[in-house]
C-alpha cells in the first residue's frame, strides 16, 4: 500500500540512518500508538510525514456541503463544509494523514489565550458565530441615539457601584460621561464631597488602573482588539509626551516576526505578514526617536510625540474596547467552544522529578473540523503527541481510513468516545456538540428522580452494635511505614509493634490486593464502596435513593442524559467534576464542559454550592469514623477538620469554568466562631448533631448491601459541604466518603493510631471516641 508517493531509492547510509531515526521514534511513541489502536503497518508512514511536516490530505479531499439529514447514522458537521474524497478511493488502513490543531491550550489559559494571542479571538468568533455581540456590548459602535462613550462605561459603573445597568446609564448621563463622577454619585447620592468621599475617589482611580485622567473624559490608557495603549510624561511633565503600544505576539515569537514602519503621522505594524496597525496618528511624532522591541512574547512600540498632549486614540477612528465587557465576551466565546474542544492527557515531569498528569484541550483546524460525525464512521481521527528529534513536543491529530471510501464520499468519524456504547447515553454526549431538543433529557432526569424517590421509600437500614465486641489477641500490630513516634506511642499504650506482617495480629496496610485470612485488617468490605466518588454516588443511589443530607451526584459514563437534564432544570447550578486519574478537580456551570471532560477521565459530577459562610469559598467539614468488625460505630470527637477551597466569582456567582483551588485548612475554633456569629450560639452543636446523624444513617444504609465480614474494620473520612438552607440558614451535605490511607495518617499519627487500636480492643476512650447510632 503506497502511502507517501514514489521517491528515489535511498543509499545504504541513508537507509541505515533512517532506520536508526525511525527506531528511536518507535521506541518513544510505541505505547501511545498502541493505546490509540493505530495500525502498526502505518507507523513508518506516519513517521515520514511527521519528520517532514507533510500535510498532504489536501491532495485527496475537497470541501463539499455537509449532509445535515436527521438519519440515525449521520449528524450534521461542526462547520458549513464537509470533507469529501476527491480522487480514486481509499482502502481501509491504506494511508495516514496529519491534521493540524488550530489551538492547543490548558484549562487555566483559555481566557488569557483568547485575549492575548493575535488573531485567535477573531478565529474562534467566526467558528462559534459570536463575534457580532462584542461590537454592541463593548461600546465599539453606537446604537441609535445612544452615546458610545457612555455605553462603553455602563457595565463598569454597574459593576463598581453595585447598581443596575439602567441606573448606571442614568448616572453617566448626569455626570456628562465622567466615569469617576458617576461612580461617586452612586456612592454618595450626589452630595458635596467629604474627606471620606475623596478617599473613595482615590480608591476608584486606583482600581481603574491609576488613570487620573479618567474623570476628565481623556484616558491615559485604553485597549483595542489588537493592542493596548498607554501614555506618560517621559520627564515628569504635565502632559504625556510618550505613547506606548503593546502588541501580544504569543509564545515563541521573535523580532524576526515583526515589521514596524514609522512616519511623521503614520504607523504601520505587521506580525508574521499580518497587519496589526496601519493608519494615521492624531499628531506628529519624532520618527528618529521612535523605537520597538520584542520581549517575553510582547511587542512594545514607543512613540515620542513632537508636541506633548493627551491623545484620545492611537489611530484616527480606532475602536476602543471596554475591558469589563470584553472579559464577559471572552467568557461567552469560551463557553461556546466546548462544542469544538477535544482533550487528551499526557505525563509531565516536574522540577522535583515527580511525574504528573496534564490535560490539554485543542481545536482542530478547518480541515479536521469538516470531518462530520457518523455512528458508522469511515475514518478514525485521534490526537497524537509527537516528540521531535530535538525534544520539542508537537500536538497533531492523525487520521486514517477504517473502511473503503469512494470518490465523492464524505469523510466521517465517531465523535463519541470509544468506551461509550449505550445509544441513549451517546445521544446525551452528542447533545454537547450538536444542540437538539432538550425534552428527552428533561424526561430522563424526571424519570431518574422518581426512581430515586421510590428507592428511598423502600430503603432498609442495618442495625449498629451497641455493645463492645473486643478483638481477641489484639496486641501485636503491624503498621505499614510507621514512624518511630507512632511505634513508641503504640508501645506506651501496651501494644507490641510487629516487624513483619506474618508476626502481627492486626495489620494496617494500604495494599488492597493482599488478603490475610488469619489477621484483622483495615480492609472492611465498605472500603470498596468508598474507594472512589463515583462508586459512592452509585452505591448511595442504589440503596438510599435521594436523601436530604446528600449532595446530588451523577456517574457521568452511565448517567449523562440524567445529568444534563438536572443541569437544565436548574440553570444556576454548578458542578464539581472529579476523577481518580486527574491531578485537579474542575468546577463548572457548563454542562457541555462537564460532558466533554468525560473524554479525559472525569467520571463524577457532584452538585456544589458556595459556603453558607462565604460566597467565594467551599467549606468542607471532615469527620473520622471507625467501623468495627462487629458493626460498632465510633466518631472521632476530639477534632473536626475544616478545609476551604477558594472559588473565583463573577457577578457574585462562580465563574462558569475553573479549576478548584487547593484546599486550605481552617482552624476549627475560628470556623465555629464564624458559624456562631452568623447563625447563632446553637449553630455549632446543631452542625455536629446533623453530621453525626448523617454518618450513622449512611453507614446503616450501606451495611444493608455490603455487611461486615465480622473480621475486618474500616477507618473512613466523611466530608460534608457547608451549604445553605432556607430553614436553618446552613446545612451540611454529605460530599464524599473515602477510606483513610494508612500512609497519610495512621503511619504518622502518634495520637490517632493507639486510640484506634484501643477502641478495637474494647477500651475506647470516651473523650476521644463518640459512639454513633445508639
Amino acid at each position: 500500500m503506497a502511502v507517501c508517493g514514489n521517491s528515489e531509492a535511498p543509499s545504504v547510509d541513508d537507509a541505515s540512518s533512517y532506520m536508526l531515526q525511525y527506531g528511536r521514534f518507535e521506541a518513544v511513541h510505541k505505547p501511545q500508538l498502541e493505546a490509540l489502536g493505530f495500525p502498526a503497518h502505518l507507523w513508518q508512514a506516519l513517521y515520514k510525514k511527521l519528520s517532514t511536516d507533510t500535510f498532504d490530505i489536501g491532495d485527496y479531499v475537497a470541501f463539499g456541503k455537509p449532509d445535515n439529514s436527521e438519519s440515525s447514522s449521520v449528524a450534521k458537521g461542526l462547520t458549513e463544509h464537509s470533507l469529501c474524497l476527491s480522487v480514486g478511493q481509499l482502502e481501509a488502513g491504506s494511508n495516514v494523514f496529519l491534521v493540524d490543531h488550530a489551538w492547543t491550550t490548558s484549562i487555566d489559559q483559555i481566557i488569557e489565550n483568547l485575549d492575548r494571542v493575535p488573531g485567535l479571538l477573531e478565529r474562534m468568533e467566526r467558528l462559534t458565530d459570536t463575534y457580532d455581540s462584542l461590537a454592541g456590548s463593548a461600546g465599539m459602535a453606537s446604537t441609535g441615539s445612544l452615546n458610545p462613550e457612555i455605553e462603553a462605561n455602563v457595565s463598569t459603573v454597574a459593576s463598581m457601584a453595585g447598581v443596575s445597568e439602567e441606573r448606571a446609564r442614568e448616572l453617566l448621563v448626569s455626570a456628562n460621561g465622567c466615569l469617576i463622577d458617576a461612580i461617586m454619585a452612586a456612592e454618595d447620592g450626589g452630595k458635596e464631597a467629604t474627606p471620606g468621599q475623596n478617599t473613595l475617589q482615590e480608591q476608584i482611580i486606583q482600581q481603574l488602573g491609576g488613570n487620573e485622567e479618567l474623570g476628565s473624559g481623556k484616558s491615559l490608557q485604553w485597549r483595542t482588539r489588537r493592542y493596548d495603549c498607554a501614555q506618560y510624561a517621559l520627564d515628569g511633565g504635565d502632559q504625556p509626551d510618550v505613547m506606548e503600544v503593546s502588541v501580544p505576539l504569543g509564545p515563541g515569537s521573535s523580532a524576526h516576526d515583526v515589521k514596524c514602519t514609522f512616519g511623521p503621522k503614520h504607523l504601520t505594524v505587521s506580525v508574521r505578514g499580518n497587519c496589526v496597525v496601519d493608519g494615521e496618528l492624531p499628531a506628529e511624532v519624532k520618527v528618529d526617536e521612535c523605537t520597538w522591541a520584542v520581549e517575553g512574547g510582547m511587542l512594545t512600540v514607543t512613540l515620542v510625540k513632537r508636541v506633548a498632549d493627551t491623545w484620545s486614540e492611537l489611530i484616527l477612528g480606532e475602536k476602543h474596547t471596554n475591558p469589563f465587557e470584553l472579559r464577559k465576551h471572552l467568557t461567552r466565546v469560551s463557553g461556546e467552544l466546548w462544542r469544538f474542544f477535544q482533550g487528551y492527557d499526557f505525563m509531565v515531569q516536574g522540577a522535583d522529578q515527580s511525574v504528573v498528569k496534564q490535560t490539554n484541550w485543542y481545536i482542530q483546524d478547518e480541515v479536521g473540523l469538516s470531518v462530520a460525525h457518523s455512528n458508522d464512521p469511515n475514518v478514525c481521527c485521534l490526537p497524537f503527541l509527537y516528540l521531535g528529534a530535538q525534544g520539542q513536543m508537537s500536538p497533531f491529530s492523525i487520521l486514517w481510513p477504517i473502511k473503503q471510501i469512494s470518490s465523492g464520499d464524505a469523510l466521517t468519524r465517531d465523535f463519541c468516545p470509544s468506551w461509550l456504547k449505550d445509544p441513549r447515553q451517546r445521544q446525551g454526549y452528542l447533545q454537547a456538540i450538536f444542540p437538539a431538543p432538550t425534552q428527552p433529557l428533561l424526561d430522563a432526569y424526571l424519570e431518574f428522580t422518581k426512581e430515586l424517590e421510590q428507592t428511598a421509600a423502600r430503603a432498609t437500614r442495618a442495625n449498629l452494635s451497641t455493645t463492645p465486641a473486643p478483638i481477641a489477641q489484639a496486641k501485636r500490630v503491624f503498621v505499614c511505614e510507621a514512624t518511630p513516634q507512632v511505634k513508641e506511642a503504640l508501645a506506651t499504650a501496651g501494644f507490641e509493634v510487629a516487624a513483619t506482617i506474618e508476626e502481627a495480629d492486626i495489620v494496617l496496610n494500604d495494599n488492597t490486593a493482599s488478603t490475610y485470612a488469619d489477621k484483622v485488617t483495615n480492609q472492611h468490605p465498605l472500603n470498596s464502596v468508598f474507594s472512589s466518588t463515583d462508586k459512592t454516588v452509585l452505591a448511595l443511589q442504589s440503596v438510599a435513593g435521594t436523601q436530604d443530607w446528600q449532595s446530588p451526584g451523577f456517574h457521568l459514563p452511565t448517567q449523562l442524559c440524567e445529568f444534563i437534564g438536572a443541569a437544565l432544570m436548574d440553570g444556576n447550578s454548578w458542578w464539581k467534576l472529579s476523577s481518580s486519574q486527574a491531578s485537579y478537580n474542575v468546577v463548572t456551570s457548563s454542562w457541555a464542559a462537564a460532558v466533554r471532560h468525560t473524554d479525559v477521565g472525569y467520571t463524577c459530577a457532584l452538585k456544589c454550592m458556595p459556603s453558607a459562610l462565604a460566597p467565594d469559598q467551599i467549606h468542607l467539614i471532615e469527620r473520622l469514623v471507625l467501623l468495627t468488625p462487629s458493626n460498632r460505630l465510633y466518631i472521632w470527637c476530639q477534632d473536626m477538620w475544616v478545609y476551604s477551597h477558594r472559588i473565583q466569582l463573577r457577578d457574585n456567582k462562580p465563574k462558569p469554568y475553573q479549576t478548584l483551588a487547593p484546599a486550605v485548612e481552617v482552624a476549627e475554633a475560628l470556623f465555629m466562631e464564624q458559624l456562631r456569629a452568623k447563625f447563632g450560639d446553637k449553630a455549632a452543636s446543631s452542625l455536629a448533631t446533623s453530621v453525626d446523624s448523617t454518618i450513622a444513617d449512611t453507614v446503616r444504609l450501606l451495611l444493608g448491601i455490603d455487611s461486615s465480614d465480622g473480621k475486618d474494620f474500616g477507618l473512613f473520612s466523611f466530608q460534608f459541604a457547608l451549604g445553605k438552607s432556607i430553614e436553618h440558614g446552613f446545612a451540611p451535605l454529605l460530599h464524599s466518603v473515602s477510606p483513610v490511607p494508612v500512609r497519610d495518617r495512621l503511619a504518622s499519627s502518634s495520637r490517632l493510631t493507639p486510640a484506634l487500636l484501643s477502641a478495637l480492643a474494647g477500651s475506647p476512650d470516651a473523650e476521644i471516641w463518640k459512639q454513633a447510632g445508639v
Side-chain angles (χ1 to χ4, degrees):
M1 291 177 288
V3 295
C4 294
N6 297 323
S7 60
E8 295 183 3
S11 67
V12 174
D13 288 343
D14 289 342
S16 176
S17 175
Y18 167 80
M19 291 309 298
L20 178 62
Q21 294 168 0
Y22 170 73
R24 292 172 179 166
F25 165 82
E26 183 177 312
V28 171
H29 298 92
K30 183 178 180 179
Q32 185 181 176
L33 292 169
E34 289 179 339
L36 293 176
F38 183 61
H41 69 271
L42 289 176
W43 289 9
Q44 286 197 40
L46 173 63
Y47 170 67
K48 289 179 181 178
K49 294 193 177 185
L50 287 167
S51 59
T52 57
D53 275 341
T54 301
F55 291 85
D56 60 345
I57 192 171
D59 298 337
Y60 294 80
V61 299
F63 288 114
K65 288 294 182 183
D67 181 359
N68 290 333
S69 66
E70 297 297 331
S71 69
S72 60
S73 61
V74 178
K76 63 181 181 180
L78 285 168
T79 70
E80 61 183 7
H81 301 290
S82 63
L83 207 61
C84 301
L85 190 66
S86 59
V87 293
Q89 68 180 22
L90 285 176
E91 300 295 334
S94 63
N95 210 332
V96 60
F97 304 100
L98 301 183
V99 178
D100 207 359
H101 293 172
W103 178 27
T104 300
T105 187
S106 61
I107 185 173
D108 293 320
Q109 297 294 315
I110 293 175
I111 297 294
E112 182 179 346
N113 287 170
L114 286 172
D115 188 21
R116 309 309 289 175
V117 176
L120 179 62
L121 177 59
E122 289 80 3
R123 191 174 185 180
M124 296 301 109
E125 285 173 329
R126 290 192 296 271
L127 187 63
T128 60
D129 198 28
T130 57
Y131 50 86
D132 286 335
S133 63
L134 185 58
S137 65
M140 289 193 281
S142 60
T143 304
S145 60
L146 296 179
N147 184 322
E149 293 183 1
I150 288 179
E151 288 303 303
N153 289 322
V154 165
S155 63
T156 304
V157 174
S159 175
M160 296 195 68
V163 297
S164 66
E165 291 196 352
E166 183 178 356
R167 175 57 179 157
R169 189 175 289 107
E170 294 175 356
L171 291 167
L172 281 165
V173 171
S174 301
N176 294 319
C178 177
L179 183 59
I180 294 177
D181 286 353
I183 296 173
M184 292 292 295
E187 297 288 344
D188 63 18
K191 299 176 184 178
E192 184 177 351
T194 66
Q197 272 116 29
N198 290 333
T199 301
L200 176 63
Q201 180 172 340
E202 293 174 2
Q203 293 173 350
I204 292 171
I205 292 173
Q206 185 176 5
Q207 290 182 47
L208 292 169
N211 194 339
E212 299 175 3
E213 294 283 331
L214 278 170
S216 66
K218 287 190 175 182
S219 296
L220 289 177
Q221 53 188 0
W222 61 85
R223 296 191 63 181
T224 72
R225 290 292 292 270
R226 296 190 173 187
Y227 51 86
D228 298 353
C229 296
Q231 305 175 79
Y232 57 89
L234 189 61
D235 297 320
D238 294 333
Q239 291 293 332
D241 54 3
V242 174
M243 170 69 77
E244 192 170 87
V245 185
S246 301
V247 182
L249 302 180
S253 300
S254 69
H256 298 291
D257 301 318
V258 176
K259 183 177 181 180
C260 192
T261 305
F262 301 105
K265 283 195 65 177
H266 198 92
L267 175 64
T268 303
V269 178
S270 61
V271 179
R272 290 183 285 274
N274 299 315
C275 181
V276 177
V277 181
D278 186 11
E280 186 177 355
L281 302 172
E284 290 190 1
V285 296
K286 299 176 183 179
V287 175
D288 294 341
E289 298 182 31
C290 297
T291 61
W292 64 272
V294 174
E295 184 177 357
M298 182 70 70
L299 165 64
T300 302
V301 179
T302 304
L303 303 176
V304 180
K305 303 173 185 177
R306 188 166 294 280
V307 177
D309 190 17
T310 302
W311 293 0
S312 59
E313 54 191 348
L314 172 67
I315 301 299
L316 296 179
E318 74 183 1
K319 296 175 180 178
H320 297 178
T321 63
N322 181 309
F324 293 89
E325 288 297 328
L326 175 61
R327 201 73 178 175
K328 290 172 66 175
H329 177 66
L330 295 175
T331 301
R332 182 187 173 202
V333 172
S334 66
E336 294 293 329
L337 286 172
W338 286 110
R339 290 187 59 210
F340 307 91
F341 271 131
Q342 297 179 75
Y344 59 84
D345 289 330
F346 61 102
M347 308 306 292
V348 177
Q349 189 173 36
D352 60 353
Q353 304 304 310
S354 63
V355 177
V356 296
K357 182 175 290 186
Q358 183 171 316
T359 300
N360 271 357
W361 295 96
Y362 69 95
I363 293 178
Q364 293 179 327
D365 65 8
E366 284 71 12
V367 171
L369 291 175
S370 297
V371 179
H373 164 76
S374 174
N375 292 330
D376 184 24
N378 53 29
V379 301
C380 191
C381 187
L382 295 172
F384 179 77
L385 272 180
Y386 172 52
L387 188 64
Q390 304 303 318
Q392 73 278 14
M393 191 176 289
S394 304
F396 299 97
S397 288
I398 52 176
L399 181 149
W400 69 97
I402 56 176
K403 60 175 56 177
Q404 185 185 85
I405 308 173
S406 301
S407 180
D409 289 349
L411 272 61
T412 59
R413 65 183 179 90
D414 188 353
F415 282 19
C416 294
S418 58
W419 51 263
L420 189 57
K421 305 297 184 183
D422 183 80
R424 185 163 169 261
Q425 299 303 330
R426 283 173 59 88
Q427 286 302 313
Y429 181 91
L430 291 172
Q431 182 78 19
I433 306 173
F434 305 112
T438 58
Q439 192 59 48
L441 302 169
L442 297 173
D443 291 343
Y445 172 65
L446 293 175
E447 180 182 348
F448 178 67
T449 56
K450 288 181 181 178
E451 292 175 358
L452 292 181
E453 290 170 358
Q454 293 171 358
T455 300
R458 59 174 181 264
T460 59
R461 291 162 169 82
N463 293 322
L464 295 172
S465 174
T466 58
T467 57
I471 297 175
Q473 301 298 323
K475 285 297 181 182
R476 289 174 298 174
V477 182
F478 175 84
V479 182
C480 181
E481 299 184 16
T483 63
Q485 292 81 3
V486 169
K487 293 179 180 179
E488 182 181 351
L490 289 172
T492 302
F495 295 96
E496 178 185 341
V497 179
T500 65
I501 291 176
E502 289 71 18
E503 299 172 357
D505 302 315
I506 299 180
V507 175
L508 303 184
N509 195 348
D510 290 328
N511 185 2
T512 58
S514 300
T515 57
Y516 311 103
D518 59 338
K519 304 180 189 301
V520 178
T521 75
N522 57 318
Q523 303 300 324
H524 191 280
L526 284 183
N527 281 27
S528 61
V529 176
F530 295 141
S531 61
S532 64
T533 304
D534 47 354
K535 284 187 177 180
T536 304
V537 166
L538 288 173
L540 285 172
Q541 288 176 355
S542 65
V543 300
T546 179
Q547 303 288 335
D548 292 340
W549 40 258
Q550 283 177 277
S551 288
F554 295 88
H555 180 237
L556 294 176
T558 60
Q559 298 174 342
L560 274 176
C561 292
E562 293 80 359
F563 162 70
I564 298 173
L568 290 171
M569 288 286 284
D570 182 4
N572 293 321
S573 61
W574 56 290
W575 306 85
K576 187 184 103 173
L577 310 181
S578 61
S579 164
S580 58
Q581 305 172 14
S583 56
Y584 55 82
N585 291 323
V586 172
V587 176
T588 181
S589 60
S590 167
W591 60 263
V595 170
R596 298 316 296 266
H597 272 71
T598 60
D599 291 356
V600 290
Y602 286 83
T603 56
C604 189
L606 281 179
K607 191 172 184 178
C608 290
M609 62 185 65
S611 168
L613 288 178
D616 63 341
Q617 295 179 51
I618 298 174
H619 275 124
L620 295 180
I621 302 153
E622 183 189 31
R623 284 285 214 188
L624 293 187
V625 176
L626 170 63
L627 182 60
T628 71
S630 61
N631 288 350
R632 193 171 174 88
L633 187 65
Y634 295 105
I635 297 176
W636 182 268
C637 59
Q638 279 207 328
D639 305 278
M640 178 185 285
W641 291 271
V642 182
Y643 305 95
S644 170
H645 292 275
R646 181 75 61 176
I647 55 176
Q648 302 169 25
L649 300 182
R650 192 193 71 200
D651 299 332
N652 294 323
K653 294 180 181 179
K655 285 187 176 181
Y657 184 73
Q658 58 186 288
T659 53
L660 190 61
V664 176
E665 188 169 351
V666 180
E668 181 184 354
L670 175 62
F671 174 78
M672 290 302 179
E673 180 182 340
Q674 294 174 340
L675 195 69
R676 284 189 288 266
K678 187 165 185 177
F679 299 109
D681 294 338
K682 296 182 179 181
S685 59
S686 174
L687 174 66
T689 300
S690 297
V691 165
D692 293 353
S693 64
T694 298
I695 290 172
D697 201 28
T698 304
V699 171
R700 291 179 61 206
L701 283 163
L702 290 175
L703 282 176
I705 61 166
D706 213 336
S707 60
S708 171
D709 57 8
K711 178 179 75 70
D712 296 319
F713 67 94
L715 182 66
F716 304 107
S717 165
F718 277 69
Q719 288 199 343
F720 295 80
L722 186 71
K724 297 179 181 178
S725 166
I726 297 177
E727 184 177 357
H728 302 293
F730 71 92
L733 298 176
L734 183 61
H735 187 76
S736 65
V737 188
S738 59
V740 175
V742 173
R743 183 178 293 105
D744 290 353
R745 266 187 164 133
L746 292 172
S748 57
S749 177
S750 57
R751 187 164 59 115
L752 172 61
T753 308
L756 172 111
L757 293 169
S758 295
L760 291 173
S763 304
D765 188 332
E767 295 183 358
I768 294 179
W769 296 107
K770 174 184 177 182
Q771 187 177 353
V774 178

